[in-house]
Each structure stands twice: as C-alpha cells, then as structure tokens.
Amino acid sequence: MVDHVGMLNYWRASNGKGVYGDQWGDIANVPPLAYTRRRFLDPFVNPTHTALEIGPGGGRWTQLLLGFRHLYVVDRYQELLDELARTVDGAEAVRNNGSDFPGVPDRSVHFVFSFGTFVHLDADTIAAYLTNLHRILVPAANVVLHYSDKRKVMARENPGFADMTPDRMRTLLAAHRYRIVDEDDTSLWHSSVVRFVDDEAHIP
C-alpha cells in the first residue's frame, strides 16, 4: 500500500512550497495533462452543478473544479485534507473510510473527478467505490477516473501502481452497471482515463 501521508511529509521536509502534487507535473505546461483537462474536465464545469473529487491531494486539479456551485473533496487521510485547505478555499472536505461518501446527500452530484488516486487502488477498492457512487449520483451524472494501466512500461515499473488495465476497468464498470462514454488509453505514460455515466436510478 502506498504511504500517502509519508509522501506528503517527505514533500514538506524536502520542499513544502507551492501546491502539493505539482511535483508530478504542471497541468498547464505538460501536454498530456493539459489535454486531459480539456477533454475530461473543462467541458463539465457548470456553476449550477455539484461536483465531487476523490483524492484531491494538495489541490492541483481541485483548483480547476471551483467553478461548480458546490464542490466536495473526499479523502481518507485528514492530513491530506488539511494540506488541501492550506491552498484551496471553497471546497467541502469529507473524510471517508476508503470508499464511501459520508454526509454527501443521495442523488446530489453531477460530476465526479479523480486523478492520481485510483492508480494506487486495487480492484476490490475500486469496486467498492463504484458501488457507493450509485447512491450520490444524479441521473446521467458524469464520472471521470484516472487509473493504472499495467500494459504500459512505466506502470509496470512502479510498485505503487495497481494491477489494472483498460479491459479490467471495463469489466468492473459493466459489472456495476455503468456505461462508458469516453476513454483515453494512449495519452498518458503509465495510466488511462475513462468517463462513464450511471443511466439507472438506484435509490428508491
């Protein structure tokens, strides 16, 4: 398991300036990241909608989601939520147990985004998140997940990356009754991105 709090503490001790997460790439200036933003994030920002980010880190992607009417940021580590609060104002922090959404109302979220978190999650944890997402999504809400792609050399060489591929992710999504509407499995060096929707109503 990746020691996320240890990584944060190492960053603080060795640098601690700017936004935690920028060390993995400037979104504006790294072409694959900028492309991911244009394709999977910017078109969905809506000032009348509610969004939720899973694993916000220090806020490098969170800052791009502040155009929503309301934004939840979800993490299991209070230390990371505290770091986020240092750099981002205007998001509602939710500390979870690793796959749930405590305090987020049923059928309230129009857009879910996660980058840099699901690359570390095993299939069972991803499945638990997919189960719990059904409760909070409005009909036809969009969900964007960035995940490990072990077909790629850089993922295979990183012991912190989960054993996941696009085919495995598609199987998980189908098993949880989601419909894929967009995928990019070529632009990023060690990972892939999928956008999917929940077409069914799962709350009575």
Side-chain angles (χ1 to χ4, degrees):
M1 177 180 289
V2 175
D3 180 5
H4 294 284
V5 175
M7 291 169 63
L8 172 64
N9 289 335
Y10 176 80
W11 173 80
R12 285 173 172 167
S14 60
N15 182 353
K17 298 178 181 178
V19 174
Y20 175 62
D22 279 349
Q23 68 270 30
W24 293 305
D26 183 336
I27 295 169
N29 295 313
V30 177
L33 298 180
Y35 176 71
T36 298
R37 173 186 175 176
R38 291 194 304 269
R39 179 170 170 179
F40 290 100
L41 192 157
D42 287 347
F44 305 99
V45 177
N46 186 319
T48 69
H49 284 179
T50 293
L52 181 146
E53 183 183 12
I54 301 169
R60 65 172 179 155
W61 292 93
T62 314
Q63 298 171 91
L64 306 175
L65 295 165
L66 293 174
F68 282 93
R69 178 181 59 84
H70 191 79
L71 174 62
Y72 295 101
V73 288
V74 179
D75 205 290
R76 70 181 301 174
Y77 301 106
Q78 187 61 48
E79 294 89 342
L80 286 162
L81 292 173
D82 292 343
E83 177 61 30
L84 177 70
R86 189 180 67 83
T87 56
V88 173
D89 189 23
E92 180 176 347
V94 175
R95 185 178 179 184
N96 76 352
N97 298 299
S99 63
D100 58 344
F101 304 101
V104 179
D106 295 350
R107 290 181 178 172
S108 64
V109 176
H110 300 81
F111 183 68
V112 175
F113 184 84
S114 186
F115 194 99
T117 295
F118 280 72
V119 293
H120 303 300
L121 301 184
D122 61 29
D124 288 344
T125 305
I126 294 174
Y129 264 116
L130 294 176
T131 296
N132 291 326
L133 277 169
H134 283 303
R135 178 185 68 80
I136 66 169
L137 297 176
V138 304
N142 283 279
V143 180
V144 173
L145 300 183
H146 164 243
Y147 62 93
S148 171
D149 188 344
K150 284 289 190 173
R151 302 172 310 161
K152 301 177 181 180
V153 172
M154 287 184 67
R156 293 197 298 271
E157 292 180 346
N158 190 327
F161 270 45
D163 188 13
M164 186 57 59
T165 66
D167 282 344
R168 291 174 184 165
M169 179 60 77
R170 293 174 194 130
T171 298
L172 275 174
L173 292 172
H176 288 81
R177 296 175 292 171
Y178 291 103
R179 176 171 60 89
I180 295 173
V181 290
D182 195 9
E183 294 182 273
D184 180 6
D185 61 3
T186 59
S187 297
L188 295 166
W189 317 273
H190 44 43
S191 48
S192 292
V193 180
V194 61
R195 176 168 67 90
F196 56 92
V197 297
D198 182 359
D199 288 323
E200 301 180 29
H202 297 277
I203 304 296

